[in-house]
Amino acid sequence: METLRLVLLLIHVLGFAALLGGLLVQVREPHKVVNPPMRDGAGTAFLAGLLLVGVLEAGDTDVDHAKIGVKFGIGLVILVLVMVNMRKPRIPQGLYLGLLVLTVANIAVAIFWSPVHT
């Protein structure tokens, strides 16, 4: 079970890395778009996060449901915004900055909030 948890955690982190990378690669571009790394990263991070919570719940450790709820909410908003704007030729600067802030906020919650397990 521990190996599965670690594999899912790795996939979750890689998903957020792809999402953040897809956002950061466009910093200097005048027109922003939802690119494939953003789409794939958001979906991968969200799904791996759900599976990770399931594995944690199945184990003997206590799960911080408040933290999971916040991460779920932010991740769901990111996923919906990415998927809704996927086929648009460009996205507004405000939406781009919002996605960037939400992504960094979700990563910050994971790092600075108390750990999910001990």
Side-chain angles (χ1 to χ4, degrees):
M1 196 64 112
E2 181 66 11
T3 302
L4 178 59
R5 184 189 69 81
L6 291 173
V7 168
L8 287 172
L9 183 60
L10 174 67
I11 293 169
H12 185 62
V13 169
L14 290 174
F16 269 107
L19 173 61
L20 186 60
L23 286 162
L24 291 178
V25 77
Q26 301 182 65
V27 167
R28 294 185 181 207
E29 297 294 323
H31 302 292
K32 314 295 194 240
V33 297
V34 173
N35 56 28
M38 289 170 57
R39 178 198 63 216
D40 298 343
T44 299
F46 190 79
L47 182 60
L50 287 178
L51 295 173
L52 186 57
V53 170
V55 167
L56 290 173
E57 287 285 348
D60 294 334
T61 58
D62 292 330
V63 177
D64 187 349
H65 293 286
K67 176 183 177 178
I68 299 302
V70 169
K71 283 189 57 63
F72 176 82
I74 294 172
L76 185 61
V77 169
I78 291 170
L79 183 62
V80 167
L81 288 174
V82 165
M83 297 310 278
V84 165
N85 292 287
M86 194 170 59
R87 294 189 178 171
K88 294 184 179 175
R90 73 167 86 167
I91 59 174
Q93 183 72 18
L95 176 59
Y96 170 80
L97 291 174
L99 286 168
L100 186 59
V101 167
L102 286 171
T103 301
V104 172
N106 213 356
I107 294 168
V109 167
I111 293 171
F112 295 116
W113 199 316
S114 62
V116 184
H117 54 86
T118 54

